[in-house]
Amino acid sequence: MYFVLIYALACLSTCHCHFIEKGKNENHCGLLKQWLKSSLVSVEIVKEGFHREVVTTVELSPDVLSDVRVLLVHRWPRGVFVDPYQLASLSDQSDWQILLDSAIDLEVPAHKTVGFVTYVYPSPDGPTPRLLKVTIPIHGRYHEPSFVELLLRTEKCTQLNNKEPYTAVVAPCTPDNSSTCQWVKLQHQQERGAMGVQFPVGDGSLVRPVCGGTLLVTVLCCVALSKHMWKHRIIKQ
Amino acid sequence: MERLITKLTEKHVLFTASFAIRLTLVAYGDYQDRTMVVKYTDIDYHVFTDAARFITEGQSPYNRSTYRYTPLLAWLLTPNIYLSMVFGKILFIVCDVLSGLLIYRILRLRGLGSETARRVCSLWLLNPLPMGVSSRGNAESILAALVLVTLLCIEARHLIWAAIFYGLSVHMKIYPVTYALPIALTLRTFETRSEENYKRWRWRRFIGFMGSFLNRELFLFASVAGGVFFMLTALFYYMYGWEFLHETYLYHLTRRDIRHNFSPYFYMLYLTTDSRWSQWLGLLAFLPQLILLLVASWAFYSDLAFCCFLHTAIFVSFNKVCTSQYFLWYLCLLPLVIPHLSLSLKQGVGLLLLWFVGQGIWLGPAYFLEFEGYNTFLLIWLAGLLFLIINSSILIQIVAHYKPTQTSQRLKVE
């Protein structure tokens, strides 16, 4: 399973832009791009086994204004899944909210499903703190790459020009998925080394001994139990 | 010590105390859920409650993923939404204590003295396992109560009530359908064999045997039980369509859990999930279960409680999927069997410990697989086989030491 790249995105909400405001607008959008460049995103996977936690830490640049909205987009491989019910109960206790792009089948094996995307909104209702830490519990199917994108938006940056290396991306504005906004993303800002998780899998080469052994033991137990039950059967008088 | 046990098992004290302890556990569970990270309440309880919520909004309970039970359960739990979240748990612990009362009644009907019956009952009422399961929000106690009331009604010859409760219990979970054969064998016309009859032609005996099933009582039982079951199925099919049939019944029949569980077949099914032999192996795995159920029915049908206990224990141990919740299905019938066992206390405790050791040996590698990521699949497989061997040995010991009531005689083979 191989890996995570970090993108930074900033987003603009679509609203009317007056001519007089244009200068200010460009200034805000420029600021967004600056903040994206100077923000740091790191991802760590903790815990062992089939139940892990992906800890994403975002350190926004010191001059970021508190009205900037942050969106973290995780693209997950089909080898893991998140439990929407677990996330719902977690969101009561944490300051971030999550939106899933599709319904998650909790039980299907990895090769029978596809990856999915999550949108994490830290502090959706309050001012955005400078240091954000989001812990997402994941559960294993098996492994493939996942990667993280950091997107930013602010109400004041309304029109974004799509100049390299920044791109405007459309994503839901808030966790309730009621509208979409433009967010700014920085392409290929940092490339991290391979990060992966490993899940143990069954040893396919042992199919014959396992089948043989299982059937042998079950048949022997069946015969022994049948014999004793018949020997001690109750005859009705 | 003796006086303490006598005091504790006085009827009013016993039932009141067992209810009070369960109530305390529910209250504690509520506290733990609110204050600690590890929750007391089982995830199933949240599944039931979410499904009940969908019903209160006029939708199908199957909108809640992993809800694989009868809609009746979600309907029963709608007060969770209207009154309080804790309603369901109270219902489950009431059913739990009711099961204890039913065990007491059945034991009395089978000729046990009041004091002994109460002591045996306390094995269920003061047992931490059913206490924990019900207070955590699992619905197993409803089914335990239904199965026990069916047995009680059959013992007391209230056949119509027995049939109604039997139909209801099969509707709620499929496994009681295995009791159909011993019940049919019990209710058929029993002909005492004389020497003359025995010398008749085989085919005449066979016809006689088949004919014994055509009697009024059995017909009444079958039609009422079948009627209840099909009426409920038809009603819920009309309300919720194919999804109801699939989630409540078909899923459980075709279920192949490739994730680790106590079943001896788990690893074999996991490794052969996508192979073309998978269907045949599934069918092959079904055979020992079927053969054992047939033998158990024929050997012990005259003692219905014992037969049902064996049926369920065999069904669970040889099933393709086995989780610890399933143990309660036969543990609720164990108190009915215990008074007739000629095992000494030492032997009994030894078998119990063996059962726990078998589980412990499985739980060790399972923990390391799931929470530490070690590849312990082979160890889990071997532990699963060992658990099957242990379960079979325990059942053999129980069968060998079972002394039925006076009306039947054991076949002695020297």
Side-chain angles (χ1 to χ4, degrees):
Chain A
M1 174 170 175
Y2 304 99
F3 220 164
V4 175
L5 291 175
I6 296 161
Y7 296 82
L9 280 169
C11 165
L12 306 162
S13 61
T14 48
C15 64
H16 298 292
C17 198
H18 296 293
F19 185 77
I20 327 157
E21 295 278 314
K22 203 176 175 202
K24 263 196 194 158
N25 173 57
E26 273 175 12
N27 196 25
H28 288 295
C29 295
L31 277 175
L32 269 184
K33 295 175 188 176
Q34 248 184 320
W35 296 332
L36 261 180
K37 238 178 154 174
S38 50
S39 298
L40 292 168
V41 180
S42 64
V43 180
E44 198 192 341
I45 303 179
V46 297
K47 287 191 166 173
E48 300 297 329
F50 278 82
H51 310 286
R52 312 280 183 118
E53 284 178 355
V54 174
V55 184
T56 312
T57 312
V58 178
E59 207 179 313
L60 295 171
S61 118
D63 51 341
V64 163
L65 297 174
S66 57
D67 64 346
V68 159
R69 306 260 51 100
V70 173
L71 170 60
L72 286 168
V73 179
H74 291 78
R75 290 180 203 285
W76 303 96
R78 57 189 185 172
V80 297
F81 66 96
V82 289
D83 185 342
Y85 302 104
Q86 181 187 25
L87 292 173
S89 70
L90 270 180
S91 68
D92 296 336
Q93 297 157 7
S94 54
D95 61 353
W96 50 266
Q97 287 189 43
I98 191 165
L99 179 65
L100 306 174
D101 76 327
S102 53
I104 308 245
D105 186 327
L106 303 174
E107 296 164 328
V108 70
H111 56 285
K112 299 223 169 102
T113 186
V114 294
F116 59 100
V117 179
T118 57
Y119 301 92
V120 177
Y121 297 82
S123 312
D125 304 316
T128 307
R130 235 205 79 211
L131 186 67
L132 304 163
K133 197 169 180 184
V134 170
T135 305
I136 305 175
I138 61 166
H139 309 280
R141 297 203 226 256
Y142 33 56
H143 41 251
E144 264 184 44
S146 69
F147 54 93
V148 171
E149 297 169 357
L150 174 65
L151 298 83
L152 295 178
R153 77 172 174 96
T154 173
E155 304 280 333
K156 297 179 193 145
C157 173
T158 50
Q159 262 187 332
L160 188 72
N161 49 357
N162 249 336
K163 252 200 232 167
E164 283 285 318
Y166 302 99
T167 11
V169 167
V170 172
C173 300
T174 49
D176 60 13
N177 204 10
S178 52
S179 56
T180 49
C181 300
Q182 274 203 313
W183 297 74
V184 165
K185 157 177 137 163
L186 177 67
Q187 297 214 13
H188 309 299
Q189 182 187 33
Q190 279 167 26
E191 265 206 28
R192 294 192 129 254
M195 184 189 287
V197 286
Q198 281 188 313
F199 294 117
V201 291
D203 189 349
S205 66
L206 293 175
V207 160
R208 280 173 208 248
V210 166
C211 289
T214 308
L215 291 171
L216 181 69
V217 171
T218 46
V219 165
L220 284 175
C221 288
C222 174
V223 167
L225 198 47
S226 300
K227 190 179 135 214
H228 279 89
M229 285 199 293
W230 193 250
K231 182 176 160 189
H232 292 104
R233 69 186 184 279
I234 302 173
I235 305 275
K236 204 168 180 180
Q237 292 294 313
Chain B
M1 186 66 188
E2 190 65 34
R3 270 183 56 190
L4 179 66
I5 295 177
T6 316
K7 239 203 138 177
L8 209 61
T9 53
E10 246 172 74
K11 203 169 176 185
H12 298 295
V13 176
L14 182 61
F15 289 100
T16 319
S18 56
F19 184 72
I21 298 172
R22 284 164 170 81
L23 209 58
T24 314
L25 281 174
V26 168
Y28 169 74
D30 187 55
Y31 166 76
Q32 181 169 331
D33 284 350
R34 276 183 287 114
T35 54
M36 301 186 206
V37 176
V38 176
K39 306 292 174 202
Y40 185 85
T41 305
D42 195 57
I43 192 89
D44 276 349
Y45 194 66
H46 295 293
V47 173
F48 301 152
T49 311
D50 290 344
R53 189 171 294 116
F54 278 118
I55 285 187
T56 58
E57 292 164 5
Q59 296 175 51
S60 162
Y62 299 104
N63 286 355
R64 189 359 170 141
S65 75
T66 73
Y67 182 77
R68 298 215 163 91
Y69 314 94
T70 162
L72 199 59
L73 184 60
W75 276 96
L76 266 175
L77 259 54
T78 43
N80 266 24
I81 314 296
Y82 293 129
L83 289 176
S84 159
M85 260 287 271
V86 89
F87 171 81
K89 287 187 183 179
I90 306 285
L91 177 66
F92 299 152
I93 64 176
V94 163
C95 285
D96 215 17
V97 177
L98 180 65
S99 302
L101 181 63
L102 291 165
I103 291 173
Y104 174 78
R105 279 282 203 250
I106 295 174
L107 288 171
R108 295 285 279 136
L109 258 180
R110 281 151 70 89
L112 229 63
S114 178
E115 165 116 20
T116 323
R118 268 180 277 129
R119 285 195 186 195
V120 174
C121 259
S122 62
L123 290 174
W124 174 260
L125 288 167
L126 301 177
N127 188 333
L129 187 60
M131 273 187 200
V133 165
S134 300
S135 59
R136 287 188 72 210
N138 288 110
E140 307 300 329
S141 60
I142 297 185
L143 202 61
L146 281 174
V147 165
L148 285 165
V149 81
T150 307
L151 281 176
L152 178 63
C153 290
I154 293 182
E155 289 272 346
R157 295 317 256 203
H158 297 313
L159 288 180
I160 297 187
W161 280 111
I164 293 174
F165 287 119
Y166 183 65
L168 194 54
S169 60
V170 176
H171 170 80
M172 292 207 80
K173 274 230 158 75
I174 308 174
Y175 82 86
V177 82
T178 61
Y179 303 160
L181 185 54
I183 291 177
L185 288 168
T186 308
L187 292 178
R188 70 189 172 118
T189 325
F190 185 77
E191 271 176 29
T192 40
R193 283 214 213 117
S194 63
E195 273 299 313
E196 231 176 79
N197 283 348
Y198 203 76
K199 284 180 186 155
R200 278 154 134 204
W201 293 110
R202 254 195 214 160
W203 65 270
R204 286 194 84 165
R205 272 194 282 142
F206 178 72
I207 298 224
F209 172 72
M210 295 307 282
S212 68
F213 283 99
L214 300 169
N215 80 353
R216 188 183 156 270
E217 285 181 333
L218 185 53
F219 184 73
L220 189 66
F221 187 92
S223 38
V224 173
V228 167
F229 178 76
F230 284 112
M231 249 171 39
L232 285 169
T233 307
L235 172 69
F236 290 123
Y237 182 71
Y238 174 71
M239 285 170 80
Y240 303 114
W242 171 252
E243 208 175 10
F244 149 69
L245 280 179
H246 180 257
E247 299 285 359
T248 313
Y249 300 122
L250 297 174
Y251 168 80
H252 296 282
L253 290 172
T254 58
R255 177 180 183 180
R256 276 143 187 285
D257 217 328
I258 58 168
R259 289 167 298 170
H260 55 287
N261 61 88
F262 285 113
S263 169
Y265 299 109
F266 121 79
Y267 200 28
M268 180 180 91
L269 293 174
Y270 171 31
L271 292 179
T272 56
T273 324
D274 291 322
S275 91
R276 58 200 178 103
W277 297 108
S278 152
Q279 296 272 42
W280 293 109
L281 282 170
L283 230 58
L284 216 58
F286 192 53
L287 280 180
Q289 215 176 16
L290 183 63
I291 292 171
L292 283 168
L293 290 178
L294 286 172
V295 173
S297 301
W298 189 246
F300 300 110
Y301 69 85
S302 51
D303 187 334
L304 200 57
F306 184 56
C307 195
C308 289
F309 166 76
L310 278 182
H311 260 245
T312 317
I314 288 168
F315 182 86
V316 169
S317 305
F318 285 83
N319 203 29
K320 293 203 270 284
V321 171
C322 177
T323 67
S324 49
Q325 262 177 306
Y326 295 10
F327 298 156
L328 244 82
W329 298 351
Y330 61 81
L331 285 177
C332 65
L333 296 173
L334 186 59
L336 301 175
V337 168
I338 283 179
H340 300 281
L341 288 178
S342 62
L343 291 165
S344 69
L345 185 65
K346 216 168 153 190
Q347 284 173 306
V349 171
L351 287 178
L352 186 67
L353 273 173
L354 190 61
W355 188 67
F356 278 116
V357 162
Q359 285 181 63
I361 293 177
W362 186 91
L363 286 168
Y367 169 82
F368 280 102
L369 173 71
E370 188 162 354
F371 296 104
E372 300 291 338
Y374 290 101
N375 194 327
T376 51
F377 278 111
L378 216 54
L379 284 174
I380 295 177
W381 171 61
L382 290 170
L385 292 182
L386 180 66
F387 192 51
L388 177 67
I389 293 171
I390 288 176
N391 279 331
S392 303
S393 313
I394 294 176
L395 285 175
I396 287 173
Q397 288 301 305
I398 289 179
V399 162
H401 290 94
Y402 188 74
K403 289 201 166 3
T405 45
Q406 300 298 334
T407 50
S408 321
Q409 208 185 60
R410 228 358 178 355
L411 175 73
K412 284 203 192 116
V413 176
E414 295 299 332

